[in-house]
Amino acid sequence: MKLIKIILGILLFVVPIGFHLTSTGFFMMAPIGALATDSGDTSFAVHTFKWYSDGGRVEYILDWENAAEIWASLWMMQIEFLDTDMSTTGVFTVIILFAIALYVFLSFFNDKTISLVADIIMIACAIMALIAFLIVTDDFGVIFDTNIPIFAIAGGILGLIGLFYSLKQKK
């Protein structure tokens, strides 16, 4: 079970928090970046540390190169004409990024209590991903035809299965 949790935890870095299908393409935002496909043009934007500073966020907005970077900035930032703050979805995505790393790290240990804590962290990640997804859907939902909270589903299932398994092992 430990190896399965480690492998699935690593895969969660690329599982999209949200999948948004439009009539011309799709957008996905994962903890490590954004993927955008629109009218045949596919682009990827990696999670960048520019989002953590005021100057970096402004520089990022002024230097968009593709649709994925535009989508990533809409997801990660609250933009008001060159006055940018990290959005709630951005903060949750950053927390999820580091929480997955903690989950993978804790999965290396054989201690049942540590395994239980890791599973609770994964359930919390699923809840944060769902909240972030719902916020973005509420803010930009009119431009999307189909929205699926993939990370919330995958992380929630993984966390619950792991939690039940950890509780069973604890007895």
Side-chain angles (χ1 to χ4, degrees), residues 142-161:
V142 293
I143 63 171
F144 301 119
D145 300 328
T146 306
N147 303 290
I148 305 169
I150 295 177
F151 190 100
I153 295 167
I157 290 171
L158 176 62
L160 288 173
I161 290 172

Side-chain angles (χ1 to χ4, degrees), residues 35-81:
L35 174 67
T37 297
D38 194 12
S39 302
D41 179 29
T42 300
S43 54
F44 185 72
V46 178
H47 185 92
T48 175
F49 289 101
K50 284 183 180 180
W51 289 326
Y52 297 128
S53 69
D54 291 334
R57 284 191 291 270
V58 171
E59 181 184 334
Y60 190 85
I61 291 172
L62 294 176
D63 197 28
W64 283 330
E65 293 181 8
N66 54 51
E69 290 183 357
I70 293 169
W71 171 241
S73 63
L74 290 174
W75 181 277
M76 297 294 289
M77 293 182 251
Q78 189 172 347
I79 304 167
E80 294 175 13
F81 189 69

Side-chain angles (χ1 to χ4, degrees), residues 9-171:
I10 291 171
L11 289 176
L12 284 175
F13 283 107
V14 296
V15 170
I17 292 175
F19 177 80
H20 308 280
L21 180 66
T22 68
S23 57
T24 59
F26 63 85
F27 302 100
M28 295 189 293
M29 184 67 198
I32 62 164
L35 174 67
T37 297
D38 194 12
S39 302
D41 179 29
T42 300
S43 54
F44 185 72
V46 178
H47 185 92
T48 175
F49 289 101
K50 284 183 180 180
W51 289 326
Y52 297 128
S53 69
D54 291 334
R57 284 191 291 270
V58 171
E59 181 184 334
Y60 190 85
I61 291 172
L62 294 176
D63 197 28
W64 283 330
E65 293 181 8
N66 54 51
E69 290 183 357
I70 293 169
W71 171 241
S73 63
L74 290 174
W75 181 277
M76 297 294 289
M77 293 182 251
Q78 189 172 347
I79 304 167
E80 294 175 13
F81 189 69
L82 299 184
D83 179 26
T84 61
D85 293 316
M86 191 77 98
S87 67
T88 304
T89 56
V91 171
F92 282 166
T93 302
V94 171
I95 292 170
I96 289 168
L97 179 68
F98 289 107
I100 294 171
L102 181 61
Y103 175 81
V104 171
F105 175 73
L106 293 177
S107 295
F108 281 106
F109 297 100
N110 281 329
D111 186 41
K112 294 173 180 123
T113 304
I114 291 176
S115 182
L116 187 67
V117 169
D119 296 324
I120 292 170
I121 287 171
M122 186 49 58
I123 292 169
C125 284
I127 292 168
M128 284 188 289
L130 182 61
I131 293 170
F133 176 82
L134 292 174
I135 289 171
V136 169
T137 303
D138 186 48
D139 289 346
F140 304 107
V142 293
I143 63 171
F144 301 119
D145 300 328
T146 306
N147 303 290
I148 305 169
I150 295 177
F151 190 100
I153 295 167
I157 290 171
L158 176 62
L160 288 173
I161 290 172
L163 181 67
F164 290 130
Y165 183 78
S166 296
L167 289 172
K168 183 180 174 186
Q169 294 296 325
K170 193 111 169 109
K171 291 182 180 181

